[in-house]
Amino acid sequence: MHISAQRKYQVRLTPEEKATLQALIHKGSAKARSITRARILLMVNEGHKDLEIIQSLHVASSTPHDTRQHYVQGGLKRALFDAPRPGQKKKLTGVQEAEVVAIACSKAPKGYVRWTMDLLTCEVNKKLKSSGEGVSIGRTTVWGILLRNDLKPHLKKNVVYSQNNS
């Protein structure tokens, strides 16, 4: 299987590509994964078999094949670097995030001196549930919103006292 795959995804580097790969390796400032892939491409171009590459570079058995495939299908950049990943869709809208900020900047509930992450998360989820949004968030999401807005609700300076909260 590996032999036919090696024939299918043949790597023939141009002199410019070789120079780029060698510079990437010798600079040493790129991610280790990219440097390893550069070494794989250079070794494949020199005629080394997958098994030799796997043993000399101590990589997974699929790595030389995947690197060759990415090079043939997408060029040098695609072979060296991972494609961007889509990530998870945002759970809250801007208005909902503003509500989280407003809650964090308000006075803590009766019986509490300050907001805790768990208390804040619970309060935000109550608000979201009562508004009929059907969204539930965890403390990490709340923490991220606070971090982006440079808020520290445990500090007095971030609390805005209104007449309703007194």
Side-chain angles (χ1 to χ4, degrees):
M1 182 175 128
H2 286 290
I3 294 172
S4 64
Q6 283 180 309
R7 286 188 197 128
K8 184 176 180 182
Y9 299 114
Q10 290 188 352
V11 173
R12 289 192 182 87
L13 299 172
T14 65
E16 295 84 24
E17 289 174 329
K18 280 186 204 175
T20 301
L21 293 174
Q22 288 167 341
L24 181 88
I25 291 169
H26 293 292
K27 274 187 186 174
S29 59
K31 291 184 176 181
R33 182 179 297 194
S34 297
I35 292 172
T36 300
R37 290 173 182 169
R39 286 188 171 123
I40 289 170
L41 288 172
L42 288 171
M43 289 179 79
V44 166
N45 193 59
E46 291 170 1
H48 292 279
K49 303 290 181 210
D50 281 4
L51 190 58
E52 295 174 72
I53 295 169
I54 292 164
Q55 290 172 344
S56 66
L57 297 179
H58 305 288
V59 294
S61 59
S62 62
T63 305
H65 172 267
D66 293 344
T67 304
R68 275 195 327 276
Q69 182 179 359
H70 290 149
Y71 174 79
V72 170
Q73 293 176 345
L76 188 61
K77 200 172 200 174
R78 175 64 185 103
L80 293 175
F81 306 104
D82 291 329
R85 296 174 188 243
Q88 190 175 17
K89 187 180 156 202
K90 287 184 87 172
K91 286 190 171 190
L92 299 180
T93 65
V95 172
Q96 291 169 326
E97 282 196 20
E99 281 184 50
V100 173
V101 170
I103 293 169
C105 289
S106 67
K107 192 174 178 182
K110 192 172 185 175
Y112 295 93
V113 176
R114 64 184 61 91
W115 286 105
T116 64
M117 285 304 296
D118 290 329
L119 189 60
L120 192 54
T121 303
C122 185
E123 185 66 26
V124 167
N125 280 321
K126 270 195 249 176
K127 288 264 189 195
L128 290 172
K129 206 176 264 184
S130 70
S131 65
E133 304 286 337
V135 179
S136 176
I137 61 172
R139 61 190 317 234
T140 306
T141 304
V142 173
W143 174 78
I145 294 167
L146 297 177
L147 190 65
R148 280 193 300 277
N149 291 285
D150 195 28
L151 291 176
K152 297 174 179 141
H154 60 281
L155 299 177
K156 288 271 190 197
K157 71 175 184 143
N158 285 321
V159 178
V160 178
Y161 294 104
S162 68
Q163 292 180 4
N164 297 346
N165 288 343
S166 303

